[in-house]
């Protein structure tokens, strides 16, 4: 769950063009509205994937003879972005 949340923040950094540009938006949101109500934080939380969800899709993947870490990462990150 942590990785999918943080990967969403990486997507947000890229959307804003840089980490400083993202922070110029993120910090005022958190300081004004609070962590739990900041729109960028709510967006990241909406993209969280439970670890067991990824494990289940990975375990039942028909490509088990392929590179297992590659399958795990592609299955878990595909839903994030």
């Amino acid at each position: 769950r942590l990785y999918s949340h943080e990967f969403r923040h990486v997507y947000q950094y890229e959307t804003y063009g840089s980490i400083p540009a993202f922070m110029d938006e993120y910090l005022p949101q958190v300081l004004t509205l609070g962590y739990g109500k900041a729109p960028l934080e709510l967006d990241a939380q909406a993209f969280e994937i439970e670890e067991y969800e990824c494990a289940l899709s990975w375990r039942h993947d028909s490509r088990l003879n392929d590179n297992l870490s590659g399958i795990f990462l592609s299955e878990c990150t595909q839903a994030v972005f």
Side-chain angles (χ1 to χ4, degrees):
R1 192 168 103 180
L2 175 65
Y3 287 130
S4 58
H5 179 104
E6 296 308 322
F7 286 150
R8 185 60 177 184
H9 284 311
V10 171
Y11 171 80
Q12 293 168 342
Y13 302 157
E14 292 173 348
T15 301
Y16 278 87
S18 68
I19 293 174
F22 166 80
M23 294 304 283
D24 286 345
E25 183 66 27
Y26 178 81
L27 287 177
Q29 287 182 10
V30 171
L31 293 173
T32 306
L33 303 169
Y35 179 83
K37 294 182 181 178
L40 288 169
E41 202 49 53
L42 292 172
D43 178 67
Q45 290 171 10
F47 278 82
E48 290 177 2
I49 299 173
E50 292 294 333
E51 188 174 328
Y52 70 87
E53 291 176 35
C54 292
L56 289 176
S57 67
W58 170 59
R59 186 175 299 143
H60 293 97
D61 196 297
S62 61
R63 300 167 289 172
L64 286 177
N65 292 328
D66 293 346
N67 178 332
L68 296 181
S69 62
I71 292 170
F72 180 79
L73 279 176
S74 66
E75 292 297 324
C76 293
T77 56
Q78 187 173 7
V80 177
F81 299 104

